[in-house]
Amino acid sequence: MKKITLLIITLTIVCMAWAQDKDSTVQVRNTYDMVDSLEVFLKQWYYYTGRDTICYLDDNDKKYFDTDLPDSVFKERVEKITTPINVVYNANVQKYLDKYVKRGHRLAPKLLGLSHQYFSMFEEKLDAYGIPLELKYLAVIESALNPRAKSPAGAVGLWQFMYKTGLNMGLEITSFVDERMDPEKSTDAACKYLKMLHNTYNDWTLALAAYNAGPGRINGAMKRSGKSTYWEIYPYLPEETRNYVPGFIAMMYMFEYHDLHNFKPEKIDFFEDVDTVMVKKQLHFAQLDSVLGIPVEESRELNPQYKLDIVPAINKNYPLKMQRKYISKFMELEDSIYNFQDSVMFSKQKITQAISDSKYGVPSGQPAGTNATIYTVRSGDVLGSIAKRYGVTVANIKSWNGLYSDRLQIGQKLKIYTKGAPKATTPTTTNSGSTTPQKLDPAYEYYTVQQGDTPAKIAAKYNGVSADDIIRLNGIDPSKLRVGQKLKIRKK
C-alpha cells in the first residue's frame, strides 16, 4: 500500500511539472552565459550581505595558479572522477574547463570559499534522499551559492526555481516570504525534484538536463531523435541545455581537483554558532538591530527568505535564525522587540519603500585607482549635489550603488569612489548644499553616534535612560542612525 501511495505522489509531481513545461514556465531558465551569470550572482551576494564591494584577484596573481596544462591532462582527470553520474570528457566539457579552471582565477577562490557555508548541509540532505552527493555542484552553476540569486527569467534562490515549480514543490511564495531563497527548504525541494526526475529517466545526465529545460523538452528531444541518452539527444536540445551538463561536469572537476591547480578557498567569515527561534508576532530586522544590536545585514544573511526584512508572523509562527549568543536575550525581551516602534516599522510608507529598495540592481565594482567613501544621505540631499561635491556623475553614483531611480532616503548610505584622499562627510548639509553645524539645545545632554551604535547600546551607557526615550526625544527612525549624529539623551 505504501508503494502504491508513493507511486501516486510521484506521478502527481511529474504531471504538475510536465503541465508546467507545456505552459512554457519551465523549471529554470537563464538565457545568458553561465559564467557571466555566476559573476552577477556573486556581486548580488556581496551587496546584499553588506560586505565590501567584490574584489577579484589581480591578473598578475594568475602566475600562482597551475592552469597551463594540455587538454589530455584534463581528459584523464575527468574520466577518473568517481560518481554515479555518467561523466564524460569532450570538447564541450573542455570549453567550460577553460572558463572555470584555465581562466578560473576570477571565480574559483570565491566559489570555493562560499561552498564552506552550504556544502555540508547539501551533502546531508542529498544523502538522506539517496542521490549522488556530487549534485551539490549543481547549486554552484545555478546561483554561485547566492541564496538571493534571481535570474532575468525569474528563477530564484540557490537552486533557481521558477515560481510555479517552487509552488509545486511545496515552497511558500508571498509578498513577504519566498522559500525559494530559504537554503534548507529549497535544498529539500531540489532533492525531491531531482529524485523524481531520476525516477522518470533512470539517468542522471538526463535528470540534470530536465532540471534545466523541463521534462517536456527532454521528452520532445528523445521523440525527435529516437534516442534515449543525453549525448545522443544533444543536437536536439536547446542551446542552454547543451551547455548545462558540460558546465556541470567542468564545475565538478574544478572542485574535485582545485588543489592540483593551486586554487585556495577565499577566507569568508560566516556565522557558525547559529540556532533558530520561532517568531510569534510580526517582526522587522531593524527591531532586532535597535533592541538587541543584531545588524540588519546579519539577519538578512541568516534569513534570506524574508524579502522585505519583515517576518510576517501574523497568522502563524515563522522561524528566525540568529547567533546563539543572542537567543537568551531574545527570549527575555521578546515582547519588547515586537512592540518596539511597531507603528513605524510596519507603516505602509516603510513597507512601500522596502519594496522599492528590493528592486535595486547589482552595483558595479570599484574603479581601479580610486578611494572609497561612504556618504550618508541627509535632509535636502539630491544625487546631483552629491555628485558635484565629489566630482563624479549622477550615473556613477547610481551604478556604484545599484540604483534605478534618483530617489534618496535620509540615512541611506552611498558608496562614492574618487581619486585622491577620501572626503569627510560629517557636517550636516542644508538644502542649498552648504554645511552648517548641527544646532544643539543647551538644556540637554548630547551623545555623538559612533560606528555600530544603536539606541539600545547608547541607552545602556546611561542610568535611567531607555532606547525608547532616545527615539522619542529625537524623533528618529532607529534603523537610520548615522556616525557623527548628535542625539539628545536627557535634560541636564
Side-chain angles (χ1 to χ4, degrees), residues 5 25 40 123 134 166 239 244 285 293 300 365 369 388 399 422 441:
T5 302
T25 52
V40 169
E123 290 171 351
E134 293 76 26
E239 181 181 2
Y244 194 73
F285 289 166
R300 286 174 174 172
K388 184 177 180 181
S399 174
D441 186 336

Side-chain angles (χ1 to χ4, degrees), residues 10 34 59 220 235 239 294 386 469:
T10 301
M34 282 192 290
D59 285 342
E239 181 181 2
I294 304 176
I386 299 171
D469 291 336

Side-chain angles (χ1 to χ4, degrees), residues 163-334:
Y163 179 83
K164 286 189 177 179
T165 310
L167 292 179
N168 288 341
M169 300 310 298
L171 299 176
E172 180 179 350
I173 306 173
T174 69
S175 297
F176 291 88
V177 180
D178 191 338
E179 289 183 343
R180 292 177 295 175
M181 297 186 286
D182 183 310
E184 294 190 10
K185 290 185 178 180
S186 67
T187 300
D188 268 319
C191 289
K192 291 176 187 176
Y193 193 58
L194 286 164
K195 191 176 181 82
M196 177 269 290
L197 291 172
H198 184 259
N199 289 342
T200 300
Y201 298 106
N202 198 32
D203 180 291
W204 281 114
T205 50
L206 284 175
L208 288 170
Y211 189 92
N212 175 260
R217 285 190 171 91
I218 302 306
N219 296 339
M222 294 171 72
K223 184 176 181 179
R224 291 193 300 275
S225 67
K227 306 294 183 180
S228 59
T229 70
Y230 173 80
W231 295 107
E232 287 175 329
I233 69 172
Y234 180 87
Y236 299 87
L237 295 172
E239 181 181 2
E240 185 189 344
T241 311
R242 293 201 300 269
N243 293 327
Y244 194 73
V245 172
F248 172 81
I249 294 172
M251 188 61 74
M252 184 180 351
Y253 172 98
M254 194 275 284
F255 273 86
E256 295 288 330
Y257 292 109
H258 68 87
D259 53 334
L260 297 183
H261 296 281
N262 203 30
F263 290 143
K264 306 296 182 186
E266 178 179 308
K267 178 67 171 70
I268 300 174
D269 292 324
F270 300 118
F271 304 105
E272 296 180 353
D273 192 14
V274 173
D275 208 340
T276 302
V277 297
M278 295 305 295
V279 175
K280 302 168 187 174
K281 293 183 180 179
Q282 196 168 217
L283 179 135
H284 198 292
F285 289 166
Q287 292 174 305
L288 295 173
D289 190 341
S290 297
V291 179
L292 298 183
I294 304 176
V296 170
E297 289 83 5
E298 179 177 327
S299 295
R300 286 174 174 172
E301 182 168 341
L302 293 175
N303 304 276
Q305 69 272 29
Y306 298 119
K307 296 160 66 174
L308 305 180
D309 295 346
I310 294 173
V311 184
I314 299 175
N315 299 316
K316 67 175 183 177
N317 296 347
Y318 279 92
L320 179 75
K321 289 187 176 180
M322 63 177 64
Q323 291 191 75
R324 198 182 301 273
K325 65 182 182 181
Y326 295 118
I327 287 183
S328 61
K329 204 66 175 176
F330 176 85
M331 298 296 188
E332 177 186 345
L333 301 174
E334 189 169 0

